[in-house]
Amino acid sequence: MAESRFWIFVGVVTVFGTLMAQVQCNEESQLIADLFKAYNKNIRPVVHPKDKLEIQIKLTLTNLISLNEKEETLTTNVWIEIQWLDYRFVWNTSNYHGIDVIRVPCNIVWLPDIVLENNIDGKFDVAYYANVLISHNGWMYWLPPAIYRSTCAIEITYFPFDYQNCTLAFRSQTYSANEVDLILAVGDTEETIEWVDIDPEAFTENGEWAIVHRPGRKMINPRYTPDDLEYQEILFNLVIQRKPLFYVINIILPCSLISSLVVLAYFLPAQAGGQKLTVSISVLLAQTVFLFLIAQKIPETSLSVPLIGKYLIFVMSVTTLIATNQIVVLNFSLRSPSTHTMSSTIKHLFLEMVPRFLGMPPLVDETEVTTEVNGVRERRRSSFGLMQRAEEYVLKQPRSEMMFDKQRERHGLTRSIVEDMDVSSTANLYKSLAQAAPEIKQCVDACNFIAESTRQQNNIGSEIESWVLIGKMIDKVCFWAAISLFIIGTVWIFLTGHFNRAPEFPFPGQSKKYVPS
């Protein structure tokens, strides 16, 4: 018995709910029919033609899709919220079963024709034409989603440590400022929403860009009159800072490592000029490849040079200077007395002063003597002086075979001739021997020729060695100059980019951040 009563109660409730729904549906249909009975969507919803209609605009960002530097295009996924008051849609909720909100297609009501002015693809429409919510007091609420591709002037001076300021400009494409008044939306707390709204739960963070500022404001262009469509517009700015990690790992770090290899060419011998030039040219070609990669990423503009482009030009210039220096060093290292004469100034500069500057002992042999005879430079080392003095000593001493009379007679010498010889000097001894025996003169001439040839060969080898040492000193000086220039230039260039941060406030001269309080 109780069970049957329960099922009867359930049936009554179900029937009653169905009847209520039908009544509700019928009342909403009747309401829509009554509201649109004499409605014309082509007429601006104002009582008098001179009245202004206030349009509230709010932008909600759901995804910063991309910023194409090459095309200077910003792609965003947004919800644009437009609200206005239409006096023709006012009804008494008690007459229509308490209905206070209805939803109608947007193509049957008046719209303020708000479009993105700075779009780049010519698509002014939204992505989806959502329904319009109409409240019983005539308040219209339209929230269509849109994917906008807008223009964004790219500033590449500090690329990839740059920040960009992109703008989304909205205005009515049909009505002037005398007909509609575009303002920023007002929140529930009667606070003007002067920023791009972001829902943390719906927002997708971009992997390359971080949003620093997102202000919104109404802009009045004084160059136009209120009758012009360009007179007023709503601007939403997105100040975004680039996350440079991708470029540091994939471009800057490999380029720096490859460029540093050219400095290692100084560790090759000074005479290995061919191998040094091979290393330098290989590094130069690799740097050119990186320059092409950068050129494909940034816009083709002559207004400024990107920071990473400046760095590549800098390291390419350093590499070219190093290659030129290697040619100069090779030229010095392969010099010889037959092609170049080493002056005392060059010798003093590179073999004495430069080594002291580098903390090395002088490379000049202190026992080396340079004399000038009849305008001709003659270089003799102390070893040759010892040889010459030994030669004079031997020549002055009597030969062992001359100590015996019979042996002297066998050589055609007589005691009187030997005793009359002047042995005070090598030259006098040479003249005396030449008078005594022509054969001895020939022997002495041969010995003098051998000694002179040995002396000249030693002088040539010593001067060639000095040229090689000069090349090494130039190499060492240029090594420290190149590595200092490379390190200082690299640190200075990238520190300049590191300190290039978005300003604290979005607009110059204002101390307002345009963020929710």
Side-chain angles (χ1 to χ4, degrees), residues 54 56-58 81 83 183-193:
E54 192 175 80
Q56 296 187 13
I57 300 176
K58 174 186 174 183
E81 180 181 307
Q83 302 180 60
I183 63 172
L184 294 172
V186 178
D188 298 334
T189 60
E190 300 300 326
E191 180 186 11
T192 303
I193 304 176

Side-chain angles (χ1 to χ4, degrees), residues 2 27 80 83 146 164 172 176 198 323 362 364 397 423 483:
E27 291 294 338
I80 177 169
Q83 302 180 60
Q164 306 297 334
S172 177
S176 66
I198 293 180
V364 178
Q397 298 299 322
V423 295
I483 196 171

Side-chain angles (χ1 to χ4, degrees), residues 504-514:
E504 183 180 1
F505 302 103
F507 301 116
Q510 296 185 10
S511 58
K512 188 177 181 180
K513 290 190 175 182
Y514 296 86

Side-chain angles (χ1 to χ4, degrees), residues 87-219:
Y87 73 96
R88 294 171 293 184
F89 292 113
V90 178
W91 71 89
N92 191 347
T93 58
S94 61
N95 297 334
Y96 296 94
H97 204 72
I99 300 175
D100 58 353
V101 176
I102 60 174
R103 297 162 182 82
V104 297
C106 63
N107 58 356
I108 66 173
V109 297
W110 179 88
L111 296 176
D113 291 337
I114 303 299
V115 297
L116 179 67
E117 177 198 358
N118 60 333
N119 78 88
I120 199 172
D121 54 3
K123 295 181 180 180
F124 295 91
D125 299 335
V126 296
Y128 172 71
Y129 285 91
N131 290 335
V132 178
L133 274 67
I134 306 177
S135 300
H136 66 280
N137 57 358
W139 192 251
M140 313 287 287
Y141 180 87
W142 189 38
L143 184 63
I147 296 179
Y148 287 129
R149 296 183 71 244
S150 57
T151 58
C152 181
I154 302 298
E155 176 58 46
I156 63 173
T157 303
Y158 295 97
F159 176 85
F161 302 94
D162 56 331
Y163 68 90
Q164 306 297 334
N165 189 349
C166 299
T167 304
L168 283 80
F170 293 92
R171 74 181 180 198
S172 177
Q173 194 65 19
T174 308
Y175 301 98
S176 66
N178 290 327
E179 297 172 317
V180 296
D181 184 19
L182 301 181
I183 63 172
L184 294 172
V186 178
D188 298 334
T189 60
E190 300 300 326
E191 180 186 11
T192 303
I193 304 176
E194 297 180 312
W195 56 83
V196 177
D197 192 27
I198 293 180
D199 185 0
E201 297 181 356
F203 180 72
T204 303
E205 186 177 359
N206 188 276
E208 185 178 0
W209 298 96
I211 299 177
V212 181
H213 301 293
R214 43 190 173 95
R217 59 177 176 171
K218 180 179 179 179
M219 180 64 67

Side-chain angles (χ1 to χ4, degrees), residues 162-280:
D162 56 331
Y163 68 90
Q164 306 297 334
N165 189 349
C166 299
T167 304
L168 283 80
F170 293 92
R171 74 181 180 198
S172 177
Q173 194 65 19
T174 308
Y175 301 98
S176 66
N178 290 327
E179 297 172 317
V180 296
D181 184 19
L182 301 181
I183 63 172
L184 294 172
V186 178
D188 298 334
T189 60
E190 300 300 326
E191 180 186 11
T192 303
I193 304 176
E194 297 180 312
W195 56 83
V196 177
D197 192 27
I198 293 180
D199 185 0
E201 297 181 356
F203 180 72
T204 303
E205 186 177 359
N206 188 276
E208 185 178 0
W209 298 96
I211 299 177
V212 181
H213 301 293
R214 43 190 173 95
R217 59 177 176 171
K218 180 179 179 179
M219 180 64 67
I220 300 297
N221 195 337
R223 295 183 299 173
Y224 300 94
T225 64
D227 294 328
D228 298 323
L229 299 177
E230 297 85 1
Y231 179 73
Q232 64 173 351
E233 56 187 3
I234 299 296
L235 301 181
F236 294 100
N237 294 80
L238 289 176
V239 181
I240 52 180
Q241 180 83 44
R242 189 191 300 273
K243 303 174 184 177
L245 182 61
F246 173 82
Y247 296 94
V248 171
I249 298 298
N250 293 279
I251 295 181
I252 296 177
L253 187 59
C255 181
S256 300
L257 293 177
I258 291 177
S259 300
S260 62
L261 292 178
V262 72
V263 182
L264 299 179
Y266 283 105
F267 289 93
L268 294 174
Q271 299 91 331
Q275 292 81 350
K276 288 185 174 183
L277 287 176
T278 301
V279 173
S280 301

Side-chain angles (χ1 to χ4, degrees), residues 334-387:
L334 298 181
R335 288 184 178 184
S336 63
S338 60
T339 58
H340 297 81
T341 301
M342 182 183 297
S343 65
S344 58
T345 303
I346 294 178
K347 183 177 178 181
H348 175 70
L349 177 63
F350 290 101
L351 298 183
E352 294 185 20
M353 296 181 62
V354 173
R356 289 193 181 97
F357 177 75
L358 297 176
M360 301 170 56
L363 301 180
V364 178
D365 190 356
E366 296 180 355
T367 61
E368 185 178 352
V369 180
T370 302
T371 60
E372 185 172 340
V373 180
N374 297 329
V376 179
R377 296 175 63 253
E378 180 182 359
R379 303 172 67 257
R380 296 188 304 169
R381 291 185 180 270
S382 59
S383 57
F384 289 103
L386 293 175
M387 291 175 60

